[in-house]
């Protein structure tokens, strides 16, 4: 069997962290006194935090707000839940020969490491914004994984499972197959031909799809 590489986003794919994000955002709103509501922030989930702040014209609060947001998230980590069946999926991948899994997230390294450790997610590599010059939607985080495992990017050898349009754009630019995790937080715009991505409504259907993909 040739090498296969599977990448996972963290928020909205492996874990349901939306309640925690809302808590942290609302506390930051109270501390810094800006009016931008959580729904505006939610539209940008998947990007590095600094890029979200720039997109919302709130970059004047950096870097302090990032430290504040991270501290609130770390303090309330018990608000996060893994999606049912995801741990078993990762455990199954770990047992496959020539199959490598990477968690590729826009969450800061300290928070991502704590979450991955807390839920004991099986994986071979964790990539966060601190590891790359550019974050999603730039393809650099995914291409870094290719270099690490010495696997040439192609839709037959590499698949990225994400829930946001930024995930799709990064995956498409990196020449990876993209799987839209419809149980997550985002939608893929109708302007994109669905020939460029796949879609699964739940983790059981993702398992079935991956078993077929392994045989390609």
């Amino acid at each position: 069997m040739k090498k296969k590489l599977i990448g996972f986003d963290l928020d909205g794919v492996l874990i349901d962290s939306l309640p925690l994000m809302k808590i942290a955002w609302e506390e930051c709103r109270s501390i810094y006194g800006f009016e931008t509501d959580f729904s505006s922030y939610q539209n940008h989930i998947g990007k590095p935090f600094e890029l979200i702040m720039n997109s919302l014209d709130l970059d004047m609060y950096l870097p302090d707000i990032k430290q504040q947001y991270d501290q609130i998230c770390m303090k309330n980590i018990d608000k996060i839940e893994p999606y049912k069946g995801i741990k078993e999926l990762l455990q199954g991948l770990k047992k496959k020969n020539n199959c490598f899994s990477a968690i590729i997230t826009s969450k800061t390294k300290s928070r991502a490491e704590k979450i991955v450790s807390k839920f004991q997610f099986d994986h071979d590599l964790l990539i966060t914004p601190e590891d790359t010059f550019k974050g999603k939607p730039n393809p650099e985080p995914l291409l870094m994984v290719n270099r690490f495992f010495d696997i040439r990017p192609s839709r037959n050898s590499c698949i990225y499972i994400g829930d946001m349009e930024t995930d799709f754009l990064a995956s498409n630019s990196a020449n990876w197959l993209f799987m839209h995790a419809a149980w997550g937080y985002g939608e893929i715009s109708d302007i994109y031909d669905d020939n460029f991505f796949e879609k699964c409504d739940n983790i059981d259907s993702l398992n079935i799809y991956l078993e077929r993909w392994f045989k390609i």
Side-chain angles (χ1 to χ4, degrees):
M1 177 179 163
K2 65 180 179 181
K3 288 183 179 180
K4 293 281 190 173
L5 180 53
I6 305 176
F8 294 89
D9 186 25
L10 187 57
D11 298 288
V13 175
L14 302 184
I15 59 170
D16 182 8
S17 53
L18 202 62
L20 174 57
M21 290 187 223
K22 187 171 183 179
I23 288 171
W25 187 253
E26 294 300 338
E27 283 198 34
C28 285
R29 281 183 69 190
S30 176
I31 292 168
Y32 293 97
F34 55 82
E35 296 183 357
T36 308
D37 61 17
F38 180 69
S39 62
S40 299
Y41 177 88
Q42 187 175 344
N43 291 333
H44 297 278
I45 291 173
K47 301 176 183 177
F49 188 83
E50 292 87 348
L51 186 55
I52 297 177
M53 292 298 99
N54 284 321
S55 299
L56 297 175
D57 293 324
L58 296 173
D59 51 302
M60 72 285 293
Y61 297 109
L62 291 169
D64 293 351
I65 190 173
K66 182 179 184 298
Q67 297 171 355
Q68 190 74 48
Y69 186 92
D70 284 351
Q71 289 173 5
I72 296 167
C73 286
M74 294 286 257
K75 184 176 66 175
N76 293 280
I77 195 171
D78 59 307
K79 303 295 183 183
I80 294 174
E81 293 288 345
Y83 286 107
K84 184 179 179 180
I86 204 68
K87 289 183 68 173
E88 292 77 8
L89 186 152
L90 292 171
Q91 288 167 357
L93 294 178
K94 194 70 174 177
K95 297 175 183 177
K96 290 185 176 294
N97 293 326
N98 290 322
C99 176
F100 304 94
S101 62
I103 299 173
I104 307 168
T105 177
S106 294
K107 195 178 292 297
T108 55
K109 183 169 288 294
S110 59
R111 289 166 56 207
E113 288 178 338
K114 186 170 183 179
I115 291 166
V116 168
S117 175
K118 175 181 173 65
F119 296 117
Q120 298 181 326
F121 288 147
D122 280 314
H123 67 293
D124 298 301
L125 182 66
L126 173 66
I127 295 292
T128 70
E130 291 92 329
D131 299 312
T132 63
F133 292 108
K134 296 181 179 180
K136 297 179 293 184
N138 190 282
E140 175 57 25
L142 281 69
L143 295 175
M144 176 174 281
V145 178
N146 284 117
R147 293 192 292 270
F148 183 88
F149 292 109
D150 192 25
I151 298 175
R152 184 175 180 178
S154 78
R155 291 165 62 88
N156 290 335
S157 62
C158 306
I159 184 170
Y160 186 60
I161 302 157
D163 64 320
M164 304 297 290
E165 195 164 300
T166 50
D167 298 323
F168 164 69
L169 294 172
S171 182
N172 195 48
S173 296
N175 197 31
W176 287 38
L177 178 63
F178 179 69
M179 171 63 72
H180 180 222
W183 61 86
Y185 308 141
E187 298 290 339
I188 306 300
S189 172
D190 291 338
I191 67 172
Y192 300 111
D193 189 325
D194 59 9
N195 288 327
F196 286 97
F197 66 93
E198 302 290 340
K199 179 179 179 179
C200 278
D201 293 323
N202 54 59
I203 293 166
D204 287 340
S205 62
L206 174 60
N207 260 314
I208 293 169
Y209 181 88
L210 288 176
E211 286 302 321
R212 294 200 306 267
W213 181 74
F214 286 132
K215 297 174 183 177
I216 298 174

